[in-house]
Amino acid sequence: MIARLPFLRSTSARFDLVFQDGDRSAGAVYRELAAVLTVLRAGGRVLLHDYYPSGRPLFEDRQVILGPYLAVQRLMRENNALLVAPLGELPWPTRGVARATTLAFLASRP
């Protein structure tokens, strides 16, 4: 079990932004994001790391990490009020000359 889960399940605090990073397996990311969604304030966001849109590579020299993508797809099937917004390209290089990023926001529809 992820060490953050006990905190997320027991806290009365509410957050505007949570950065999700760590174990990248689909099951672990799913459990963590499900718990995070319960502690977000209205309008809050989750910033995901290692999110590969459509499960496809963003970098030629890197392997795709599918866990976050698969976890988000499952959450979205269970809750159609969720939106995911990959950041896409940044104004600065991230990998040599590439400008792509694996960061994405997850939020509830307004």
Side-chain angles (χ1 to χ4, degrees):
M1 179 185 287
I2 298 171
R4 291 174 289 272
L5 284 177
F7 169 77
L8 291 168
R9 291 176 176 156
S10 66
T11 188
S12 61
R14 296 295 173 253
F15 303 93
D16 296 311
L17 177 68
V18 174
F19 178 61
Q20 191 283 326
D21 191 14
D23 185 331
R24 296 178 270 177
S25 67
V29 175
Y30 172 82
R31 287 186 298 276
E32 190 169 306
L33 287 177
V36 164
L37 291 172
T38 68
V39 300
L40 283 180
R41 286 190 178 112
R45 306 281 186 265
V46 179
L47 181 60
L48 302 167
H49 186 244
D50 292 323
Y51 182 83
Y52 288 79
S54 301
R56 296 192 176 155
L58 295 177
F59 312 104
E60 290 181 22
D61 63 338
R62 299 284 174 145
Q63 188 174 24
V64 173
I65 299 166
L66 285 176
Y69 171 76
L70 295 173
V72 167
Q73 294 305 300
R74 179 178 172 189
L75 283 166
M76 291 175 71
R77 281 192 307 273
E78 294 171 358
N79 181 350
N80 64 4
L82 292 178
L83 296 170
V84 64
L87 295 185
E89 291 202 4
L90 299 174
W92 56 83
T94 58
R95 304 260 186 225
V97 297
R99 295 180 181 270
T101 181
T102 63
L103 295 172
F105 280 110
L106 180 66
S108 292
R109 294 179 196 266

